[in-house]
Amino acid sequence: MDRAGQQQSLTTAREAGMVGCTYCGLLLPMDQAHCPRCGAGLQSRDDQSLQKVWAWLLAGLIAYVPANLYPMLRTTQMFHTTESTIVGGVSDLIHHHAYGIAFIVFFASVVIPIGKFIVIAYLAYLMSRPHKSDPHRLHLLYEVVEFIGRWSMIDVFVVAILTALVQFDVLATINPGIAAVCFALSVVFTMLSAQSFDSRLIWDRLEKGSFHG
Amino acid sequence: MDESQLATPVSAPKRKRLSLVWLMPVLAVVVAVAVVAKNYAEKGPLISVSFQAASGIEKGQTVVRFRDLQVGIVEDMSFAPGLTAIEAHIRLDKKIADYVDESAEFWLVEPRVSARGVSGLNTVLSGVYIQGNWDATPGEKVQHFVARKTPPLVTHGDNGSVVVLRSRGDTQLSNGAPVMFNGIEVGRLGEPKLSDTGSTVTVEAFIEAPHDQRLTTNTRFWDISGISLNVGAGGLSVDVESLAALVEGGISFGTMVAGGDAVLPGHVFDIYDTEEHARENVFDGDSAENLRLSVLLDNHQGGLTVGGNVRFQGAKVGEVTDLNGYVDPETRKVKLLVEFAVSPSKLGLGDDSALHMDGLKSRVANGLRARLASEGLLGQTVVLELVDFDDVAPAELVTNVTDLPLVPSGESNLKDASQTVDGLIGRINSLPIEELMNSAIGTLDGITAFVASPEAREIPANANGLLVDTREVIASGATRKAIQDLQTAASDVQALVGRIESSTGLDTFLGALERSDSIMTNIDAFSGKLPAIADDMEQITAQLAALQLQELVSDASAAVAALSDVVTDPSLKTVGPDAAASMASLQQILADLEQSGLVAELSAAATNADGLLLDLRSATADVPTLVNDASAVVASIKDLPIETVVQSLDRLLNRGEAVLSAPGIEDIPVALRNTLVELETSLTALREGGVVDSLNATLKSAQSTMEAIETATVQVPDVVARLNRVAGALEQTIAGYGPESRLNRDAQNAINEVARAAEAFRSLARTIERNPNSLITGR
């Protein structure tokens, strides 16, 4: 690997006996427990990172189950109340030939959260054992997950806006269902999970050159 | 390992510690588990209800309500095995689940628009819902239910009674139709059901409390559906109980007679067509207790209908409830199976229902049979009759051949009836109705012709003419003139006598009396003859008395009308001059007497005249008697029964009225007219006829008498003295006829009477004139 060969010559902070503050970026010698500038705790590597990732991920998964089973929206139109779950809503939209919106809702509410679960779980899994994956690609994956994870909240925003706008009593009323809360929780948990992931772990393998021997 | 060589942060020993973040998933799991557990704990049982069709039921949408509170929701819909029904799987609330036992029933509430209003309107927008109904006692749980097609008549919590109404089937009843009491809706009908035989319709009726307390065994129900149209003397009346009753049919009830027993739920009442019919049958007893029997008839000729009467000894004891064909399994003959219900009490079977069948069996063994009979005047209605036969083949009540106990049949009684009808019709045919009608028409025509005949119209005119004539006669100047003339005549006579008095003859006579003594002797000698003369005079006065004065006066009164003619008669006028002439001759006689010296004799004679005068006076004493006689005559005239005549005339008229209504009436106008014409002619005859002539003759004879007197005085101068006396007496007599005299009064009275009679006649005539038909109808 070209890149791996190139990077082999790089010296990491840990090799140099230094630790970088993750909050203010101050480089300090490793013997200090707290950053003298910002007061944050100093860790060369977060040895509890994977634990946190798994824990948040599990909580997010648990929250994601009712988010899909329970109705997201309670739409009341002329005495007629419709409760729709996320997937039900998507199928309704497809039924009404609103393919674009259906795709967006489906992407934001189903693809992204599930993709996030898978990606985070994959990263965390790789970090706990030897692997031969390219750290660059892993890092890109992590960046994408972190960036795109917040867009999952688009569903919750839609529900919140609709609920605020459509309140015409008998004529038409939209109320959030229990799934909205669960889904929001699920998104928050997965975001926390992604944040808990210490991306420096990706590169430790590179330093060790474990896949080269 | 490489890691041990690397410098690690101070916090490195914490590596094995479990992160606090693990609390989050644990918390999430705990919350989830708690929610799930709570949900599960609150979840009621799942039941399934079969519906004919889903008709608007949606899973997750359609709810189950009890007393309009949601107690469950349809979780799923599926087909029953064999696609025979729709199964709705309903999740019930745990709170209510215990009560959903065998008593539970479910039905679908849909929007319903009927004549009684709109119900279930809320389901139009919200969709249908399932109404549940169960009692308030928990029971064993049941998983599967079959939904009702219609709401139940009584839902739990409704207070009231359910009774069964039975109708002959021609009443239009529908589910939910109102039950009215005095125009107020107090209940409703359930679903009408046909009986097994199809002849009757039974329907349950729910009467709300407290109105169900009004139901007794004497309560009668009747049909109020439709429009009641009544045309009578009071005009046209259209009655509609209520719009709902008009469309859906309705039932009203009333308790006609107090004192009935309270009814138990499920009591069977009959529905009558009209309230009148219901009232008529109020004493019919309770139809529920009726014995239901049947009879097989093999010679039925038609006419018997369902609802026909069943009679026993002439009284109605029940009704025919059904007619069916029946094939005798042995003879293969088709017979008519008549089912009927009879009131056991009216058959004399007592009140104990347990003994009815036994009593009936013994009655049948003793000869009770059912047969066809006819009723009505012409035998037009066929009824079933129960008869006790004395000599009949033994039979018994058969209970195993047909559904109902079979009463043996007897010989039909229809033939006699039709024969009677034939005879009756024949007798009616032979009635001379046409002749009767013709004579009636003739009589009526005759009456019409009489009433319309010109003669009948002429009657009043003729009567009027007659009365006018009579009035004319009475009120004519002639009559009045007659009286005046009579007075004049009297005054003439007076003047005559006065002249006689004032004549010198008396003085001369006195002088002569002084002078002639010698004559006296002659006169004495002559006076010897005087008694004879006095006798003659007496005879004359007697004759005068015997003169038919009565007749004369009656003639006069009868001929009042002709009096004028009499008075104006020229002959009467001649009397005066004649009398004057006779007086002149008298004077001449006296002068002659003077000259003749007879006076002396007379004077002498006068001395002796006292006795003569006495004789004369005694003779003239008869004159008052005469006057009395005349007055008696007048009185008798007065007493003449004119009033009676008038009354009889009145009676006659009354009788005429009576006669007018009698047959032969057409001839009366003619006869009456003829009579009137005759009456007129007789009046005319009275005016012109012989009575006047006879009076004339009488007066003429009086005149001739005067003339005779004149001649007598010429021939017998001696008589003059006595004649003088006679004249005095005559004066007295005539004075009796003076204005104040009784005779005159009586005559006037008589005339007044006549006038009154005429007045009465006139008023009668006026009455007839004003009201001609009073002749016919009476006053």
Side-chain angles (χ1 to χ4, degrees):
Chain A
M1 288 273 173
D2 293 342
R3 231 177 0 183
Q6 272 183 325
Q7 281 167 357
Q8 246 176 345
S9 59
L10 289 175
T11 305
T12 65
R14 192 165 60 166
E15 283 168 345
M18 305 292 282
V19 62
C21 178
T22 49
Y23 289 91
C24 62
L26 186 67
L27 190 66
L28 292 163
M30 213 174 267
D31 55 346
Q32 294 187 21
H34 292 277
C35 172
R37 189 164 66 183
C38 67
L42 293 175
Q43 281 181 305
S44 176
R45 296 291 181 272
D46 188 357
D47 49 357
Q48 282 189 331
S49 169
L50 287 179
Q51 268 193 58
K52 288 179 189 168
V53 168
W54 285 118
W56 285 124
L57 191 68
L58 195 62
L61 265 171
I62 289 168
Y64 191 69
V65 173
N68 277 282
L69 291 181
Y70 284 98
M72 189 81 172
L73 279 176
R74 292 172 58 90
T75 313
T76 306
Q77 268 185 302
M78 305 296 286
F79 302 100
H80 200 78
T81 304
T82 321
E83 293 182 336
S84 45
T85 57
I86 294 166
V87 181
V90 171
S91 66
D92 274 356
L93 287 169
I94 293 171
H95 198 71
H96 290 105
H97 305 284
Y99 300 113
I101 298 170
F103 173 75
I104 291 171
V105 171
F106 182 74
F107 195 75
S109 305
V110 180
V111 176
I112 293 176
I114 290 175
K116 263 172 73 177
F117 289 132
I118 293 169
V119 169
I120 291 170
Y122 174 66
L123 287 175
Y125 175 76
L126 283 184
M127 291 311 111
S128 58
R129 64 198 62 241
H131 63 89
K132 294 177 178 172
S133 297
D134 181 6
H136 290 277
R137 280 172 54 201
L138 290 179
H139 192 79
L140 180 69
L141 215 56
Y142 170 71
E143 286 292 335
V144 166
V145 162
E146 249 220 315
F147 171 78
I148 213 161
R150 65 200 70 169
W151 287 100
S152 288
M153 288 300 266
I154 191 168
D155 224 18
V156 178
F157 291 149
V158 164
V159 169
I161 290 167
L162 281 178
T163 301
L165 286 179
V166 186
Q167 290 288 347
F168 304 123
D169 274 346
V170 178
L171 211 59
T173 307
I174 293 175
N175 288 316
I178 187 98
V181 180
C182 295
F183 189 79
L185 280 174
S186 174
V187 172
V188 170
F189 290 159
T190 46
M191 282 172 75
L192 285 171
S193 175
Q195 289 234 311
S196 303
F197 186 79
D198 195 344
S199 56
R200 290 175 295 197
L201 291 172
I202 296 170
W203 304 107
D204 283 345
R205 298 282 164 209
L206 203 61
E207 287 167 21
K208 284 175 238 166
S210 53
F211 45 79
H212 290 294
Chain B
M1 288 296 283
D2 289 339
E3 275 191 13
S4 56
Q5 299 164 358
L6 292 173
T8 54
V10 181
S11 57
K14 280 191 279 182
R15 185 178 176 264
K16 293 293 170 190
R17 251 185 6 185
L18 207 61
S19 169
L20 277 176
V21 180
W22 283 108
L23 283 175
M24 285 314 297
V26 171
L27 198 67
V29 166
V30 166
V31 167
V33 165
V35 167
V36 167
K38 185 168 177 279
N39 265 349
Y40 184 79
E42 281 184 355
K43 216 168 191 179
L46 193 68
I47 58 165
S48 67
V49 178
S50 295
F51 287 91
Q52 201 82 35
S55 51
I57 303 174
E58 290 174 47
K59 66 176 177 184
Q61 290 291 325
T62 307
V63 298
V64 177
R65 293 185 185 183
F66 175 70
R67 294 197 177 208
D68 270 357
L69 183 71
Q70 180 176 340
V71 294
I73 191 159
V74 174
E75 287 202 334
D76 196 11
M77 305 278 294
S78 68
F79 285 109
L83 302 181
T84 51
I86 297 288
E87 300 272 356
H89 303 280
I90 295 167
R91 178 70 65 185
L92 287 176
D93 278 8
K94 205 177 173 63
K95 291 171 281 186
I96 207 77
D98 286 344
Y99 299 98
V100 184
D101 50 12
E102 276 186 339
S103 71
E105 37 193 16
F106 297 89
W107 66 95
L108 199 63
V109 178
E110 293 170 290
R112 195 183 286 262
V113 181
S114 66
R116 312 178 61 230
V118 180
S119 67
L121 188 65
N122 50 340
T123 63
V124 171
L125 297 171
S126 66
V128 299
Y129 63 90
I130 296 164
Q131 183 81 43
N133 183 44
W134 42 79
D135 59 24
T137 48
E140 200 176 325
K141 279 178 188 166
V142 179
Q143 286 293 320
H144 190 78
F145 297 91
V146 177
R148 294 180 61 100
K149 283 178 192 144
T150 52
L153 182 61
V154 188
T155 54
H156 296 297
D158 279 345
N159 288 322
S161 298
V162 174
V163 293
V164 177
L165 303 180
R166 190 169 57 195
S167 149
R168 189 117 294 141
D170 49 358
T171 43
Q172 249 193 337
L173 303 172
S174 63
N175 189 11
V179 175
M180 316 282 277
F181 179 79
N182 282 351
I184 295 170
E185 188 174 336
V186 297
R188 56 188 176 268
L189 295 183
E191 188 73 37
K193 293 188 194 94
L194 270 177
S195 68
D196 293 339
T197 56
S199 61
T200 56
V201 174
T202 56
V203 58
E204 286 192 329
F206 174 71
I207 315 291
E208 292 164 9
H211 304 289
D212 59 338
Q213 299 300 312
R214 300 181 195 282
L215 295 174
T216 68
T217 50
N218 285 341
T219 300
R220 294 291 177 267
F221 288 78
W222 63 89
D223 186 15
I224 54 164
S225 57
I227 301 173
S228 140
L229 191 75
N230 197 6
V231 185
L236 177 78
S237 74
V238 181
D239 281 334
V240 182
E241 280 284 337
S242 74
L243 190 65
L246 175 66
V247 177
E248 293 191 318
I251 295 294
S252 187
F253 71 90
T255 300
M256 310 296 186
V257 180
D261 302 325
V263 298
L264 297 170
H267 190 90
V268 178
F269 289 100
D270 277 324
I271 300 175
Y272 295 95
D273 297 340
T274 59
E275 184 175 356
E276 286 72 27
H277 195 188
R279 284 185 190 283
E280 281 166 16
N281 289 279
V282 75
F283 293 111
D284 263 13
D286 200 341
S287 60
E289 293 171 2
N290 281 352
L291 273 181
R292 301 200 63 204
L293 303 169
S294 64
V295 62
L296 276 175
L297 301 170
D298 43 17
N299 57 347
H300 180 52
Q301 297 155 350
L304 194 63
T305 54
V306 172
N309 290 338
V310 177
R311 293 193 179 273
F312 177 66
Q313 292 175 348
K316 184 187 172 186
V317 295
E319 279 187 352
V320 176
T321 54
D322 204 1
L323 295 171
N324 282 312
Y326 177 80
V327 181
D328 195 319
E330 294 169 14
T331 62
R332 309 300 299 163
K333 267 180 73 180
V334 176
K335 293 181 174 184
L336 182 72
L337 178 65
V338 182
E339 292 180 2
F340 59 100
V342 290
S343 166
S345 56
K346 284 184 180 173
L347 277 178
L349 293 174
D351 289 332
D352 191 353
S353 57
L355 298 174
H356 287 164
M357 269 303 151
D358 294 338
L360 194 67
K361 273 177 187 166
S362 66
R363 290 286 288 275
V364 169
N366 286 336
L368 185 74
R369 299 288 180 272
R371 69 172 183 185
L372 288 178
S374 52
E375 70 173 1
L377 179 65
L378 302 173
Q380 72 275 43
T381 313
V382 178
V383 300
L384 195 67
E385 193 178 26
L386 295 170
V387 190
D388 280 319
F389 285 104
D390 289 333
D391 46 349
V392 73
E396 57 183 10
L397 200 66
V398 185
T399 50
N400 52 359
V401 175
T402 50
D403 298 341
L404 299 172
L406 194 64
V407 178
S409 63
E411 188 72 21
S412 151
N413 195 27
L414 285 175
K415 265 182 195 169
D416 306 347
S418 43
Q419 276 168 7
T420 315
V421 172
D422 280 349
L424 183 62
I425 290 173
R427 223 173 298 159
I428 290 171
N429 264 343
S430 60
L431 279 178
I433 290 172
E434 296 215 344
E435 286 88 332
L436 191 70
M437 291 306 291
N438 282 340
S439 61
I441 290 166
T443 310
L444 290 168
D445 283 349
I447 291 170
T448 315
F450 162 60
V451 172
S453 68
E455 286 89 349
R457 274 186 222 140
E458 275 169 18
I459 293 172
N462 284 338
N464 206 14
L466 166 67
L467 289 164
V468 165
D469 284 349
T470 314
R471 210 189 310 165
E472 264 175 16
V473 168
I474 290 164
S476 65
T479 313
R480 249 175 261 155
K481 204 179 170 203
I483 295 160
Q484 284 171 1
D485 287 348
L486 210 64
Q487 277 176 335
T488 340
S491 63
D492 280 352
V493 173
Q494 238 176 337
L496 171 68
V497 173
R499 265 163 68 189
I500 293 168
E501 241 176 343
S502 65
S503 69
T504 55
L506 203 62
D507 292 342
T508 352
F509 186 55
L510 283 174
L513 282 175
E514 289 169 5
R515 270 189 284 155
S516 52
D517 278 345
S518 55
I519 298 170
M520 283 301 289
T521 48
N522 297 336
I523 289 194
D524 264 345
F526 177 66
S527 65
K529 295 171 187 173
L530 267 174
I533 297 168
D535 285 341
D536 289 344
M537 284 301 284
E538 250 180 85
Q539 270 179 355
I540 290 167
T541 41
Q543 271 174 4
L544 225 72
L547 259 179
Q548 292 168 341
L549 259 175
Q550 272 183 331
E551 268 180 32
L552 178 70
V553 171
S554 69
D555 283 347
S557 93
V560 174
L563 261 175
S564 68
D565 295 349
V566 177
V567 175
T568 54
D569 196 271
S571 60
L572 200 66
K573 279 177 193 157
T574 60
V575 176
D578 284 346
S582 61
M583 284 304 134
S585 32
L586 251 173
Q587 262 178 317
Q588 217 175 347
I589 291 162
L590 284 170
D592 288 347
L593 272 173
E594 230 174 326
Q595 285 175 357
S596 66
L598 181 69
V599 175
E601 286 173 27
L602 265 170
S603 298
T607 51
N608 299 325
D610 277 349
L612 174 71
L613 280 170
L614 287 168
D615 292 339
L616 256 173
R617 203 163 289 171
S618 69
T620 52
D622 289 336
V623 173
T625 324
L626 170 71
V627 170
N628 283 344
D629 286 345
S631 103
V633 167
V634 171
S636 73
I637 290 171
K638 192 174 79 173
D639 292 339
L640 267 178
I642 289 173
E643 279 179 351
T644 325
V645 169
V646 171
Q647 280 168 4
S648 354
L649 201 66
D650 200 11
R651 269 206 301 278
L652 175 70
L653 284 168
N654 286 341
R655 217 168 299 152
E657 283 166 33
V659 167
L660 276 174
S661 55
I665 224 157
E666 302 105 307
D667 303 328
I668 290 178
V670 182
L672 200 66
R673 197 177 59 156
N674 290 347
T675 314
L676 290 167
V677 166
E678 274 168 23
L679 220 68
E680 255 180 314
T681 48
S682 60
L683 273 173
T684 320
L686 207 69
R687 203 188 294 163
E688 306 163 356
V691 182
V692 176
D693 290 342
S694 68
L695 198 69
N696 255 354
T698 313
L699 287 167
K700 271 179 185 157
S701 67
Q703 192 187 358
S704 64
T705 313
M706 288 295 238
E707 281 169 3
I709 290 170
E710 192 182 7
T711 52
T713 45
V714 171
Q715 286 167 357
V716 195
D718 304 354
V719 182
V720 169
R722 278 171 208 175
L723 200 66
N724 212 353
R725 304 283 190 279
V726 173
L730 206 71
E731 187 185 3
Q732 260 186 345
T733 311
I734 286 165
Y737 288 92
E740 270 76 46
S741 77
R742 201 174 157 193
L743 177 65
N744 201 346
R745 271 204 310 276
D746 290 344
Q748 250 171 351
N749 282 346
I751 287 164
N752 284 344
E753 289 291 338
V754 171
R756 262 205 296 274
E759 185 67 30
F761 209 87
R762 193 173 53 185
S763 76
L764 173 68
R766 270 198 198 138
T767 309
I768 295 169
E769 196 177 3
R770 267 201 306 271
N771 199 4
N773 58 354
S774 68
L775 264 178
I776 298 166
T777 60
R779 240 180 278 186

